[in-house]
Amino acid sequence: MATMKKTSALIAAAAASTLTLTACSTTEPGADGSASAEGALTVATAFYPLQFVAEQVGGDRIVVVSMTPAGVEPHDVELSPATARQLGTADLALYLSEFQPAVDDAISTTGVEALDAAEVIELHAAEEHADEEGEDEHDHGSSDPHFWLDPDLLAHLADAVGEAFATADPDNADTYTANAATLHAALEDLDNQYATGLAQCERDTIVTGHEAFGYLAEAYGLHQEGIAGLDPESEPSPARILEIKDIIAETGATTIFTEDAVSASVAEALASDVGVETEVLSPVETVADGDDYIGVMTRNLSVLEDALGCE
Ligand SMILES: [Zn+2]
């Protein structure tokens, strides 16, 4: 637990320097998008984990404008004209192509300077379930967007964001590089806690609502079975529900993981039908006020350890 305290202290130190900024960084749509602090870099972020990286790396040298409002599930987010305008006037945008078509459109329309996380991280191909219904062909292209649930991959993005900020604002390059290194170290620490915490478990199958945990499962030797697909709005077929019941029976799974931002009615009905628990496992697509990526991921780990019977 000593390492956990160290991480919290690191993040607390980093957070303290960004606290004032964070408080005023969720700018209201309708503002002209120009930076409030003189000389500051304005960075538009497409959804929460990218916002977290920008805030940690940029500290008080940048103003962050989030394209996905707090509490909103980011898949297929709609942008108001005011938000699209803010995106267009940012110095730099951070996004993930083929995850949020409205953001892709606004970036190509406005021609804003942008860092695409898909250019930094090698995304995995999406797993196909032949029996899934309601999957549009344009949904997420053919790759799984949820790379941020592997802390090691998010650490690689932190490095790239540090470089991008340093290029956009060379006067503060040293600060961005140092902050990126601090974040990288905190994420590596989290990665180590996961690897250790999930090393010896009675079970290794996680039954989830939407299939957000593929990268996490691969990184730590787990096996994910999603009730719905990669998109939280997709409806599972009756055939998939039956399959999940068989999987729960075969693996002895004790828990169906639901999430905070979307309805869990299908998962809850299924859980009560087969007599297992539901627990919230957050895909960290949005976080509650006062929470952050490290905090939510640390809670996720302890939920997983309990449900999987880890030593
Ligand atoms: Zn998702």
Side-chain angles (χ1 to χ4, degrees):
M1 288 298 111
T3 48
M4 242 173 86
K5 283 202 180 110
K6 199 176 103 208
T7 305
S8 307
L10 271 174
I11 292 300
S17 66
T18 61
L19 202 59
T20 329
L21 166 74
T22 308
C24 62
S25 66
T26 34
T27 43
E28 296 297 321
D32 64 2
S34 62
S36 54
E38 202 183 328
L41 206 57
T42 302
V43 178
T45 57
F47 57 99
Y48 177 73
L50 303 183
Q51 177 191 332
F52 172 74
V53 170
E55 286 171 353
Q56 298 298 319
V57 172
D60 59 3
R61 307 301 159 96
I62 68 164
V63 173
V64 176
V65 184
S66 179
M67 298 294 104
T68 303
V72 171
E73 181 273 299
H75 287 257
D76 304 326
V77 72
E78 302 288 338
L79 298 187
S80 71
T83 307
R85 224 166 20 248
Q86 278 191 315
L87 175 62
T89 55
D91 297 306
L92 182 68
L94 302 182
Y95 78 118
L96 176 64
S97 56
E98 294 189 1
F99 178 47
Q100 300 167 297
V103 173
D104 291 4
D105 287 351
I107 284 174
S108 73
T109 306
T110 59
V112 64
E113 188 73 36
L115 175 63
D116 179 1
E119 299 287 330
V120 179
I121 308 294
E122 206 174 315
L123 296 179
H124 300 172
E127 253 183 78
E128 297 286 340
H129 290 296
D131 51 278
E132 253 166 37
E133 288 170 2
E135 292 275 323
D136 296 345
E137 274 178 38
H138 63 264
D139 260 3
H140 310 316
S142 59
S143 50
D144 179 351
H146 303 97
F147 74 88
W148 58 89
L149 289 163
D150 177 348
D152 187 47
L153 294 181
L154 198 61
H156 286 296
L157 184 68
D159 298 342
V161 168
E163 284 168 28
F165 286 4
T167 304
D169 177 18
D171 289 349
N172 289 306
D174 290 349
T175 303
Y176 300 134
T177 305
N179 289 350
T182 302
L183 177 58
H184 189 117
L187 291 168
E188 252 180 26
D189 197 2
L190 181 68
D191 175 50
N192 287 334
Q193 287 173 42
Y194 265 77
T196 308
L198 299 173
Q200 306 274 351
C201 306
E202 286 167 33
R203 293 169 291 278
D204 66 0
T205 296
I206 55 172
V207 178
T208 63
H210 101 279
E211 218 156 57
F213 300 91
Y215 292 87
L216 188 152
E218 177 160 333
Y220 306 111
L222 305 179
H223 176 68
Q224 171 182 236
E225 292 287 351
I227 298 173
L230 287 167
D231 188 321
E233 301 302 324
S234 63
E235 287 290 326
S237 66
R240 183 62 183 158
I241 299 272
L242 286 176
E243 228 170 60
I244 292 286
K245 286 185 178 178
D246 286 346
I247 289 162
I248 290 171
E250 282 163 20
T251 61
T254 60
T255 307
I256 294 176
F257 297 109
T258 60
E259 56 194 74
D260 28 22
V262 299
S263 159
S265 53
V266 173
E268 273 160 10
L270 181 54
S272 99
D273 194 17
V274 299
V276 300
E277 306 288 314
T278 59
E279 287 288 347
V280 171
L281 188 66
S282 172
V284 208
E285 293 182 347
T286 179
V287 301
D289 248 3
D291 232 334
D292 75 1
Y293 175 87
I294 301 269
V296 175
M297 285 297 282
T298 302
R299 269 205 310 284
N300 277 351
L301 174 58
S302 93
V303 167
L304 285 169
E305 287 171 331
D306 285 348
L308 298 176
C310 305
E311 280 174 19

